[in-house]
Amino acid sequence: MKRILNTTCVMTLLLTVLSAATCVQAADIEPPKVQLVDKNGINMANGQVTHNLETVSIGGAMGLSHSVSVFANEFNYLGYRGFHDKFLGEARNTQFSFALGYSPMQVLRVYDFLGSADFAYYVNGVIQQNGDMTSGYTYVSMGDERQILEYDNSYLYWTHPDGTVSRFTRGLCAAANNAAPCASSYALLVDVTYPNGFVITVWYGGMSVTTNTGFQIKALYPPDYRPMDKTDLPQCKSPSDTGCLRNAPPPYLGGSGPNGQNTWSTLNPTYIVGINNAYEYCVPTDIACTLTRTWPKATFNWPAGMPRTMYLGSTSMNVVNAKGQKTTYTFKAYDMNIDPISGTLEPGYTQNTDFSPRLVSIAPYGTSQVFTYDYKNVWAYKPGNLDLRLQTAGVVKTATRFGLTSVYDMNTTYDEGGNLTLQVISGDTGMGSVHLNANIKGNPGALMNATTENGILKYESTPRNFVTEFDDFNGPQANYSYTRSNVTTISYNNGDSTVVATYPADCISTSRKICNQATSIKDARGNYTYYWYHAASGQVASIKYPADKHGISPQVRYEYAQFSAHYYNGGTSKITGSPIWLRTAERTCNSSSTTYDSAAGTGSCQGGSNDEVVTRYEYNNDNLLMTGTTVTAWDNITSSLKTLRTCYKYDIYGNQIGKTQPNANLTQCN
């Protein structure tokens, strides 16, 4: 069970936003970050298939990576999109049941590629049963209180715990990079701004994504006029009809007749391309850019007649990533009106009319079927009443990986306490069972406990639902407590060992980049590590470590400066991007402690300037890629300070293609 680094660094590392020179490990105190997805790709919290596919990346440490994912068994084409695009972020109303026996209410759910959060509607401090994105409401997090949602006349602003701000439109989506009009209960993600100033801008729900370092992900939409190549079924005209389709969309959502263009191709790209805007640029609204260079490209091969073809037997499609590796997805139309236990038709329903296209196999990189799935329908049984279908997607009952089959019992019947149990009956999945608590007011799907191959996790019975205990199979039990949703103590049952963290006393609007980062941590041995932060960027300014056996307290100090990238943005000349804070220097003492003035943000080596080792970082690149480092330290042989330089070179895709050695004695990097 791996612990996670400081939140700011984690996010930037996952997104490959910052170079190695700009991400510093800060206070390392977090609960175990466990995704309850087993080896077969089954989310054990809901019995649904979860799958993510990386498609294209550009820019390396300062660029973008694109991916698509499925989060449910069913081919759910919300907004007629076949996959969930990484950069499609939204704010939308959703029905939220407080708990069993409570009436559902509306909450505003926001999500982007960093996560999601639910906010309740309030008026004058009173929670509301319904709400929207019009003025007059305030928003309060349903769980983690570090999540903040605010608004002005045009936008919603979601501030994450690390100070990252995701902005969503209010009113007309067309006003801010988004083509479709928004409702008062729906808005699209416009951009994400990190504490250091790095900005990812999302155009038209993901049609184009750009950064202020000069990289772009672009979707291309060539037209598709192919007629459906399956024998179609008629639409049902009455409840008693059979051998027809009741819930399937038409095969052609636009145009006319069999030669009309399938509107599917206007909403689902055939190609995703990564572009370096320091060399060329594609207008976000251009559906078929003319590019003069070869850029990394992923291809989506949809069958003809989407999405109706998904409701007729079995259907396959594939994605070829930028490396030329093909992943094939196969869907099968399940009859939703079949009883999952008896296998017979549910009383009061009609057979062969209502279908759910579900993912039955994933073949990565063009191999034979590596993952296969089978499902059962989910029904609620009430004596004396008509049985009710709870969801159309069903839940997994078996999964096969490399020929090995696992059997699941997704028990969808509440026990006497109102709880659900999801468990693996047989097979090597890396998960045992997951218990859900349906009685927590404000989070009816809350976790009670989960058994993994590394240990047992227990969760608090609150809407926040944080981890309270981890029974490690290979180590001591850890217990977690929180203040303002930050981990303040981790106590272990192997004695009196406890890790304690200290945070700023409050979290006001001007300190959101640093207020959820620990200023000190006492480890299990009683040793303290202290942290200071660069307020403008949220990055670490200094770390003071515990004294060693010689009584020396090592300390590292970091310096930052703002830089701007240069790239094309539609004109014939390059523009200057908005500034980003990057690390320019790292200072430490060779053999003495540091005298540090926390108020002034400065420090020096007690052994004098000759005891200081200084590493500097250079970014002489249009995309702000790190082009050089120098290390300056005292040389005992020459009795003077000596500087050694390392230089880096990159191709147009942002890949490092060259590196000089320090003994080359270069005076500058070209």
Side-chain angles (χ1 to χ4, degrees), residues 412-425:
T412 55
T413 301
Y414 292 104
D415 64 20
E416 293 181 357
N419 303 315
L420 292 172
T421 300
L422 312 177
Q423 61 182 323
V424 179
I425 301 300

Side-chain angles (χ1 to χ4, degrees), residues 455-470:
I456 300 174
L457 293 155
K458 298 181 180 179
Y459 297 82
E460 61 185 10
S461 297
T462 67
R464 187 176 64 180
N465 206 211
F466 280 5
V467 172
T468 59
E469 182 180 310
F470 176 48

Side-chain angles (χ1 to χ4, degrees), residues 39-40 50-54 317-321 324-330 359-373 400-402:
K39 295 178 181 179
N40 295 320
T50 296
H51 178 76
N52 187 75
L53 179 65
E54 299 289 334
M317 64 84 56
N318 65 73
V319 181
V320 181
N321 67 15
Q325 300 165 322
K326 183 171 70 173
T327 298
T328 300
Y329 302 86
T330 300
L359 182 63
V360 294
S361 75
I362 303 173
Y365 303 158
T367 64
S368 59
Q369 293 181 355
V370 177
F371 298 94
T372 63
Y373 306 99
T400 300
R401 174 176 58 94
F402 300 119

Side-chain angles (χ1 to χ4, degrees), residues 392-413:
T392 61
V395 294
V396 170
K397 64 179 182 181
T398 63
T400 300
R401 174 176 58 94
F402 300 119
L404 302 175
T405 298
S406 299
V407 178
Y408 299 82
D409 179 16
M410 301 299 178
N411 178 11
T412 55
T413 301

Side-chain angles (χ1 to χ4, degrees), residues 22 54 147 160 184 260 264 317 365 404 451 505 533 550 652 667:
T22 61
E54 299 289 334
Q147 307 281 1
H160 299 253
S184 61
W264 184 265
M317 64 84 56
Y365 303 158
L404 302 175
T451 302
Y533 298 94
H550 302 293
I652 64 173
T667 57

Side-chain angles (χ1 to χ4, degrees), residues 537-664:
S537 69
Q539 299 178 93
V540 180
S542 183
I543 304 175
K544 182 180 179 182
Y545 297 97
D548 61 18
K549 63 181 180 180
H550 302 293
I552 296 174
S553 298
Q555 187 161 358
V556 184
R557 290 164 285 131
Y558 303 97
E559 298 173 6
Y560 301 91
Q562 287 183 305
F563 296 83
S564 291
H566 300 279
Y567 49 89
Y568 294 105
N569 191 34
T572 58
S573 300
K574 293 181 180 179
I575 68 166
T576 298
S578 57
I580 301 173
W581 288 98
L582 299 177
R583 191 187 345 156
T584 56
E586 177 181 327
R587 298 175 181 270
T588 188
C589 303
N590 186 39
S591 58
S592 65
S593 295
T594 300
T595 299
Y596 190 75
D597 184 343
S598 59
T602 59
S604 60
C605 296
Q606 294 178 359
S609 59
N610 291 342
D611 191 48
E612 188 175 51
V613 179
V614 182
T615 303
R616 298 188 182 277
Y617 304 93
E618 301 168 349
Y619 307 93
N620 298 317
N621 177 279
D622 276 350
N623 300 116
L624 300 184
L625 300 173
M626 188 175 67
T627 54
T629 60
T630 63
V631 179
T632 301
W634 184 259
D635 183 3
N636 290 325
I637 297 177
T638 62
S639 297
S640 63
L641 289 173
K642 185 175 182 179
T643 298
L644 297 177
R645 182 183 301 273
T646 301
C647 296
Y648 307 92
K649 287 191 175 182
Y650 303 87
D651 60 20
I652 64 173
Y653 312 112
N655 301 313
Q656 186 185 118
I657 57 173
K659 177 181 177 181
T660 65
Q661 296 302 314
N663 58 12

Side-chain angles (χ1 to χ4, degrees), residues 234-515:
Q235 288 294 112
C236 296
K237 296 181 179 180
S238 69
S240 60
D241 287 350
T242 60
C244 53
L245 296 177
R246 192 187 312 280
N247 63 320
Y252 298 102
L253 303 175
S256 60
N259 296 320
Q261 180 182 348
N262 186 352
T263 305
W264 184 265
S265 65
T266 68
L267 299 171
N268 290 272
T270 299
Y271 306 108
I272 298 288
V273 184
I275 306 169
N276 186 343
N277 294 155
Y279 294 87
E280 64 179 320
Y281 175 76
C282 181
V283 177
T285 54
D286 194 341
I287 64 172
C289 292
T290 300
L291 299 169
T292 62
R293 297 174 182 266
T294 301
W295 298 107
K297 180 173 67 175
T299 303
F300 292 75
N301 296 303
W302 295 103
M306 288 293 296
R308 187 178 182 86
T309 187
M310 288 288 183
Y311 292 78
L312 301 167
S314 295
T315 306
S316 295
M317 64 84 56
N318 65 73
V319 181
V320 181
N321 67 15
K323 297 179 181 179
Q325 300 165 322
K326 183 171 70 173
T327 298
T328 300
Y329 302 86
T330 300
F331 295 83
K332 175 185 174 182
Y334 278 70
D335 191 329
M336 293 189 293
N337 296 334
I338 300 300
D339 184 290
I341 299 175
S342 66
T344 59
L345 180 67
E346 281 284 344
Y349 290 85
T350 304
Q351 192 169 1
N352 297 327
T353 56
D354 299 307
F355 292 96
S356 167
R358 299 172 186 168
L359 182 63
V360 294
S361 75
I362 303 173
Y365 303 158
T367 64
S368 59
Q369 293 181 355
V370 177
F371 298 94
T372 63
Y373 306 99
D374 192 16
Y375 306 93
K376 70 176 183 179
N377 294 325
V378 181
W379 292 79
Y381 301 102
K382 295 183 178 181
N385 294 303
L386 186 67
D387 295 338
L388 299 176
R389 186 170 57 231
L390 294 182
Q391 62 184 39
T392 61
V395 294
V396 170
K397 64 179 182 181
T398 63
T400 300
R401 174 176 58 94
F402 300 119
L404 302 175
T405 298
S406 299
V407 178
Y408 299 82
D409 179 16
M410 301 299 178
N411 178 11
T412 55
T413 301
Y414 292 104
D415 64 20
E416 293 181 357
N419 303 315
L420 292 172
T421 300
L422 312 177
Q423 61 182 323
V424 179
I425 301 300
S426 63
D428 176 21
T429 72
M431 291 288 299
S433 61
V434 174
H435 300 274
L436 305 182
N437 188 339
N439 291 304
I440 296 178
K441 185 176 181 180
N443 190 355
L447 293 161
M448 294 178 63
N449 54 69
T451 302
T452 74
E453 61 185 348
N454 297 306
I456 300 174
L457 293 155
K458 298 181 180 179
Y459 297 82
E460 61 185 10
S461 297
T462 67
R464 187 176 64 180
N465 206 211
F466 280 5
V467 172
T468 59
E469 182 180 310
F470 176 48
D471 297 331
D472 193 339
F473 292 154
N474 302 304
Q477 173 186 302
N479 298 279
Y480 300 86
S481 63
Y482 305 85
T483 301
R484 211 178 65 229
S485 290
N486 293 308
V487 177
T488 48
T489 62
I490 305 176
S491 58
Y492 299 93
N493 67 347
N494 58 349
D496 297 326
S497 58
T498 302
V499 176
V500 180
T502 302
Y503 297 85
D506 53 27
C507 193
I508 59 178
S509 59
T510 56
S511 67
R512 290 176 183 171
K513 294 180 180 181
I514 61 175
C515 60

